Amino acid sequence: MTPARKALRPTTAVVLSITVMTGAAFGLAPSTAAAAPAPAATATATTASTATPSGVSIRFVDIPGDGGVNLAANVVAPSHAAPSHRLPLVVLPTSWSLPQVEYLAQAKKLAETGYVVLTYNTRGFWQSGGKIETAGPPDIADASKAIDWALANAPADPDHIGMAGLSYGAGISLIAAGADPRIKAVVAMSGWTDLVGSIYSGRTQHSQAAGLLAGAGALTGRLSEEFRRILDDFFSSDLAKEKDLIAWGEKRSAATYLDRINAHGAAIMLGNSWNDSIFPPNSYADFFDKLTGPKRLELRPGDHATAELTGLLGLPNTTWNHARQWLDRYLKGERNGIDRQAPVQLTSRTAADGDGYEGYPSWSAVPSGQRRVPLAATKKVTANHDSGANGGTVLLGGGLDQFLKLPPLASIPLLPRSYAAVWQTAASAREQRVRGTVKLHTTVTGDRSDGTAVAYLYDVGPLGIGKLITHAPFTFHDRVPGTPFGMDLELFSTAYDVPAGHRLALVVDTVDPLYIEHNPGGAHLTFSSPDADPSHLTIPVRD
């Protein structure tokens, strides 16, 4: 068996503790009633029923999920709906660690316009029974069971069924569209389509993101034994378990079921934020171009779920407005024009108007050209030292960028060149509109068999202060020390306008608190540009 690799660095462990405590401060701690699994449900149990002045009724119920596991749920519907009059159904699985009232404000808005809405607490969380399966087969079966229950116990139309969700609910909704052909429309906000690519991109553990999910899950639910084992293998960096980790993640990824999703033909709307520190947008973008049915992709500034948050509070929110329009179009047949808009809608992170969208016919059409930046000089760095360049903090970095236009910063002239490889372009005479996925190709030589590098692209102003445009990690294992090898790395997709007169800077170092790094003590990494295979950065730009 391959020996276990490096465990969490102390700095990472501290950050994980902070993120878990922050989750508790925001009300993630469960009630004592959720500490033990709820009993299996054999029949529906209505615990409360209310009517609102807006003519909407709300019922809190228990419904049987897969295997009879009890799911805490609520049904929101027009109070005047007659049992004989069938209305379109929208099913909303909750986000990771949030209770079933999460969507109540949006469910009421939908019900006011003629929907039956069933929102349920995903298994393993809060008052729902079972254990956390992380969008595994029982969770997908639960989605179909929820539809079955709604059709039998609410005035729901079997021919007009949709699913929607935020984060965890988004991932479950997408996978369910491949499992249940009754689902005709999906809105998946701040979710994922490739779980492995989200938390293990570049063969590098996204430790802050995974740690936050694990901590919040432990606070608000009950982890399954399988999930505990996966977390142990993930954080211990045991390469002997890597294939198991990948297989576990693929089973929980909508990309695995793309053929079934296309065959069922559901109309799918995907929405994410450029700086999503849990589910980066790359997998959504790749997945979108492979969909063959009606589709829409929205990418905007923000971090995980920050673009949708005000909508959960019932406040005006563009993302939720578009979600309701999507459902209206494909469940009600309303000709509201959303299907006539360009299917890809982007907002630049630097745009003054956060709702000013740019429309494109496809993801591949977003950049109109590619700028190739040569990386000619050879750079050698000492590993295991944080140069000061980093990707920020999970949930916080993207939020600051969204609301204050303040991405992670670095003083490029002051970065220690012994710990960071730095290449800079000349100042550009005109604005550069970066749109899409930046790609790095270089040649790496390590003096140890394992190593980690993190690449950052900065917008550098006249004073040398760099604003982070994008970044991504890369890890290698079992290489022959001293033998060069090619490295190709896709940085996280973005939309960013670099002002005229500014430079671009590529920085590569070996430590970032967002990730587990695999550099042995005293290791060195060299980045070179052989004549036969020159190193370069490919930057997608829009004229």
Side-chain angles (χ1 to χ4, degrees), residues 36 55 58-59 126 141 144 158 182 184 200 302 396 398 435 494 539:
I58 303 171
R59 285 191 293 152
W126 296 84
S144 290
R182 295 176 296 179
K184 305 302 182 186
Y200 191 55
L396 179 61
R435 297 288 186 275
T494 193
I539 302 174

Side-chain angles (χ1 to χ4, degrees), residues 301 347-353 405 431 435 459 495-498:
T347 298
S348 171
R349 288 168 44 206
T350 51
D353 180 1
K405 305 297 182 188
E431 180 183 63
R435 297 288 186 275
D459 159 24
Y496 185 100
D497 301 326
V498 181

Side-chain angles (χ1 to χ4, degrees), residues 26 49 75 83 97 159 192 277-278 337 347 351 399 465 483:
F26 278 96
S49 179
V75 182
S97 288
D159 296 322
W192 76 93
S277 51
I278 297 179
T347 298
I465 301 300
T483 302

Side-chain angles (χ1 to χ4, degrees), residues 313-516:
L313 303 176
L315 300 174
N317 184 278
T318 301
T319 305
W320 281 102
N321 289 346
H322 292 172
R324 292 194 301 272
Q325 290 173 16
W326 189 258
L327 296 172
D328 288 345
R329 174 66 187 90
Y330 290 102
L331 296 184
K332 288 183 175 181
E334 291 186 3
R335 300 291 179 177
N336 53 25
I338 195 167
D339 56 322
R340 295 195 299 273
Q341 296 176 359
V344 176
Q345 297 284 327
L346 312 181
T347 298
S348 171
R349 288 168 44 206
T350 51
D353 180 1
D355 289 335
Y357 284 89
E358 304 169 359
Y360 301 94
S362 66
W363 173 250
S364 58
V366 169
S368 57
Q370 305 284 338
R371 181 184 176 190
R372 184 178 170 119
V373 178
L375 308 172
T378 296
K379 312 281 185 177
K380 182 177 182 179
V381 299
T382 302
N384 272 317
H385 295 275
D386 192 338
S387 71
N390 67 73
T393 302
V394 66
L395 294 184
L396 179 61
L400 291 174
D401 185 48
Q402 176 185 0
F403 298 112
L404 301 178
K405 305 297 182 188
L406 189 63
L409 305 176
S411 175
I412 304 305
L414 296 182
L415 293 176
R417 271 33 179 191
S418 56
Y419 304 149
V422 181
W423 296 264
Q424 290 193 77
T425 68
S428 176
R430 60 189 183 92
E431 180 183 63
Q432 300 177 79
R433 301 171 65 203
V434 180
R435 297 288 186 275
T437 305
V438 176
K439 299 178 182 179
L440 168 64
H441 173 75
T442 189
T443 295
V444 181
T445 305
D447 55 13
R448 307 294 174 87
S449 60
D450 302 330
T452 296
V454 186
Y456 310 88
L457 182 64
Y458 286 98
D459 159 24
V460 184
L463 299 179
I465 301 300
K467 295 182 177 181
L468 186 64
I469 299 174
T470 182
H471 80 286
F474 172 85
T475 293
F476 62 89
H477 294 294
D478 301 323
R479 292 283 179 176
V480 178
T483 302
F485 62 92
M487 181 184 81
D488 289 287
L489 178 64
E490 288 192 354
L491 280 62
F492 301 137
S493 302
T494 193
Y496 185 100
D497 301 326
V498 181
H502 285 210
R503 302 170 181 265
L504 292 174
L506 175 70
V507 177
V508 183
D509 72 1
T510 62
V511 173
D512 191 309
L514 286 170
Y515 310 109
I516 294 179

Side-chain angles (χ1 to χ4, degrees), residues 152-163:
N153 295 277
D157 186 342
D159 296 322
H160 297 87
I161 298 172
M163 288 193 67

Side-chain angles (χ1 to χ4, degrees), residues 18 22 38 103 113 156 170 217 243 290 300 384 460:
I18 292 172
T22 301
Y103 300 117
T113 61
K243 289 184 178 179
K290 296 174 184 175
R300 59 188 72 85
N384 272 317
V460 184

